[in-house]
Amino acid sequence: MATWVLSECGLKPLPPVFPRPRTGVVLFNPSKFQPRGYTSCSFGERNWGLKVSAPLSIASPIEGEQEKFDPSAPPPFKLADVRAAIPKHCWVKDPWKSMSYVVRDVIVVIGLAAAAAFLNNWLVWPLYWAAQGTMFWALFVLGHDCGHGSFSNDPNLNSVVGHLLHSSILVPYHGWRISHRTHHQNHGHVENDESWHPLPEKIFRSLDNVTRTLRFKVPFPMLAYPVYLWSRSPGKTGSHFDPSSELFVPSERKDVITSTVSWTAMVALLVGLGFVMGPIQLLKLYGVPYVIFVMWLDLVTYLHHHGHEDKLPWYRGQEWNYLRGGLTTIDRDYGLINNIHHDIGTHVIHHLFPQIPHYHLIEATEAAKPVFGKYYREPKKSAPFPFHLIGDLVRSLRKDHFVSDTGDIVYYQTDPELSDSSKSN
């Protein structure tokens, strides 16, 4: 015991009398096993009260017991550490390669529509709707890359391609691009995040029954995107089509007008096509695939921030920063759809570094995993089609309802009444 008293006071400990044990016996470490009320001493101030060391401890952990990982704890690495781990070529944007994906997707979209119109068979239409709706979603992802500037280094090229792709599926390119930028800049923040952010309890309790149903009961949340474009989420105001909306600053109003005009032109084109081919044929060729696209968009964007087996934190105030917010995003595996929708399921790296082109996301993620450690959550391996994600979606909507009005680190809580009614339906 004398050797420990001396060493605690900063003096060189006496050499041990016995040789180092070769079994599970571990020499006592006073920094880990200090009795309650114990104060270590120093040369300037000594406190000899309750200076009783514990006996030698034997390393005998309970089988299966592990120290629980706290996902809200500040990570032991910085954003620069993650950036440094990613190979330099992953940051290179190749406009020709990006355009090749656009050409590929457009050819598939036109081919599917032509084949469905030619066959015009009710055995074919459901297959067409599923395939074409998925391809509309793929077009959206490419336009999304234009919005981030990961499509190319040419802002004019990004704007032209982004408008063509997004307007074709009734998305206001600049209006959405700006709000999505806000989402990335504030990911994981309770109040400042833009898409699928949690509702503070006070706002949740103020919702009428219809709004609660539309937000938390399948399939209604999977049809939310057009509503979001017009009026945003509960607790927020503004429209993606209105240049004077609080979503935008005055310098962005011309861009928003341009996107709204492009969107309106696409609506006019669809109305004209309705007169030419008939509204039923237009509904079959475009209307139903558009609904499938909206469902893809809502499913993917929701599950990138919700529905993990372990509860993930949301932040406010001083606890939030860009890195910690980004680490609460979730990667998802979509099986065969991964390639079709341009690996957007590789979402953590995308959220931290949206400048990386989609065709480098997988390699960048693999390079960053050793830095992330437990802060990276390996996605469940998907079958060819990701039907397993429907279960994740339903479970999350049943229990992830609101967060506390106070606290800088909060987790989703469940409204028992809403949860019970969801199970009964």
Side-chain angles (χ1 to χ4, degrees):
M1 298 303 295
T3 59
W4 286 115
V5 172
L6 291 172
S7 63
E8 290 168 13
C9 295
L11 302 179
K12 182 177 180 181
L14 295 175
V17 177
F18 302 101
R20 183 183 300 274
R22 297 179 181 273
T23 63
V25 179
V26 179
L27 291 178
F28 171 67
N29 184 342
S31 65
K32 292 185 178 180
F33 299 92
Q34 294 178 349
R36 184 173 297 179
Y38 175 90
T39 305
S40 62
C41 61
S42 64
F43 284 116
E45 180 179 353
R46 298 187 181 188
N47 185 348
W48 297 95
L50 292 179
K51 204 168 201 50
V52 180
S53 298
L56 297 179
S57 63
I58 298 178
S60 57
I62 300 175
E63 185 175 355
E65 182 178 313
Q66 296 182 9
E67 183 179 350
K68 187 167 180 62
F69 170 66
D70 180 6
S72 70
F77 52 85
K78 298 180 180 180
L79 189 66
D81 300 324
V82 184
R83 180 187 292 273
I86 299 173
K88 291 183 178 180
H89 68 267
C90 289
W91 303 88
V92 177
K93 309 165 191 176
D94 184 346
W96 293 104
K97 189 170 185 175
S98 297
M99 281 300 302
S100 71
Y101 286 103
V102 174
V103 172
R104 182 195 77 173
D105 288 0
V106 169
I107 289 175
V108 173
V109 167
I110 294 174
L112 286 172
F118 175 77
L119 296 171
N120 196 22
N121 187 300
W122 282 104
L123 294 176
V124 173
W125 283 115
L127 298 176
Y128 165 77
W129 293 333
Q132 192 71 300
T134 303
M135 290 309 303
F136 281 14
W137 165 236
L139 294 180
F140 175 88
V141 175
L142 291 177
H144 152 274
D145 287 358
C146 292
H148 280 301
S150 60
F151 188 87
S152 77
N153 287 320
D154 185 347
N156 293 323
L157 177 62
N158 294 338
S159 182
V160 170
V161 175
H163 271 97
L164 291 174
L165 292 174
H166 274 192
S167 297
S168 70
I169 50 177
L170 298 180
V171 176
Y173 172 70
H174 279 310
W176 173 85
R177 173 187 65 82
I178 295 167
S179 74
H180 189 66
R181 179 190 64 198
T182 302
H183 166 54
H184 270 258
Q185 291 174 340
N186 297 277
H187 47 210
H189 193 288
V190 174
E191 282 81 21
N192 297 340
D193 203 342
E194 177 59 30
S195 60
W196 289 121
H197 63 91
L199 298 179
E201 185 173 6
K202 183 177 181 180
I203 294 178
F204 173 81
R205 300 296 181 193
S206 69
L207 300 179
D208 56 61
N209 290 332
V210 173
T211 304
R212 290 193 191 187
T213 298
L214 293 177
R215 185 173 176 89
F216 295 106
K217 292 188 180 181
V218 176
F220 303 112
M222 298 301 97
L223 302 172
Y225 185 63
V227 178
Y228 165 72
L229 289 178
W230 282 102
S231 58
R232 298 175 77 190
S233 303
K236 295 180 181 287
T237 59
S239 170
H240 290 75
F241 300 93
D242 181 6
S244 61
S245 168
E246 64 180 31
L247 275 166
F248 317 117
V249 298
S251 61
E252 295 168 335
R253 290 180 179 176
K254 289 184 179 179
D255 286 341
V256 176
I257 292 173
T258 300
S259 296
T260 301
V261 169
S262 299
W263 182 91
T264 305
M266 183 62 192
V267 171
L269 176 61
L270 290 173
V271 171
L273 289 174
F275 283 107
V276 172
M277 65 177 64
I280 300 300
Q281 187 73 347
L282 179 64
L283 179 67
K284 291 190 293 185
L285 284 172
Y286 186 91
V288 178
Y290 172 78
V291 173
I292 300 297
F293 147 65
V294 168
M295 296 178 73
W296 264 118
L297 189 152
D298 284 320
L299 173 74
V300 172
T301 54
Y302 181 90
L303 288 178
H304 282 160
H305 303 275
H306 303 78
H308 196 264
E309 295 85 350
D310 301 321
K311 283 188 173 293
L312 300 180
W314 288 78
Y315 302 100
R316 292 186 178 103
Q318 296 299 316
E319 291 292 344
W320 181 89
N321 63 45
Y322 183 82
L323 175 59
R324 292 174 78 181
L327 292 175
T328 64
T329 59
I330 306 168
D331 278 10
R332 299 286 186 179
D333 183 16
Y334 294 90
L336 295 177
I337 310 299
N338 285 330
N339 180 264
I340 295 174
H341 72 184
H342 310 293
D343 293 313
I344 195 59
T346 315
H347 208 65
V348 179
I349 280 293
H350 165 67
H351 245 273
L352 292 175
F353 305 109
Q355 309 87 358
I356 296 178
H358 70 82
Y359 40 83
H360 290 318
L361 287 175
I362 293 178
E363 183 181 359
T365 297
E366 291 300 320
K369 281 183 184 180
V371 180
F372 287 145
K374 291 184 178 181
Y375 287 87
Y376 180 80
R377 302 158 191 89
E378 198 72 40
K380 293 179 184 176
K381 192 68 177 175
S382 176
F385 297 101
F387 294 118
H388 71 287
L389 294 177
I390 298 176
D392 292 342
L393 171 70
V394 172
R395 283 190 295 272
S396 177
L397 289 172
R398 283 178 177 171
K399 65 181 183 180
D400 297 337
H401 297 151
F402 62 88
V403 296
S404 173
D405 294 322
T406 60
D408 287 350
I409 300 178
V410 294
Y411 292 81
Y412 267 110
Q413 300 179 43
T414 302
D415 180 349
E417 294 182 6
L418 185 58
S419 179
D420 292 341
S421 64
S422 297
K423 291 179 181 179
S424 63
N425 290 340

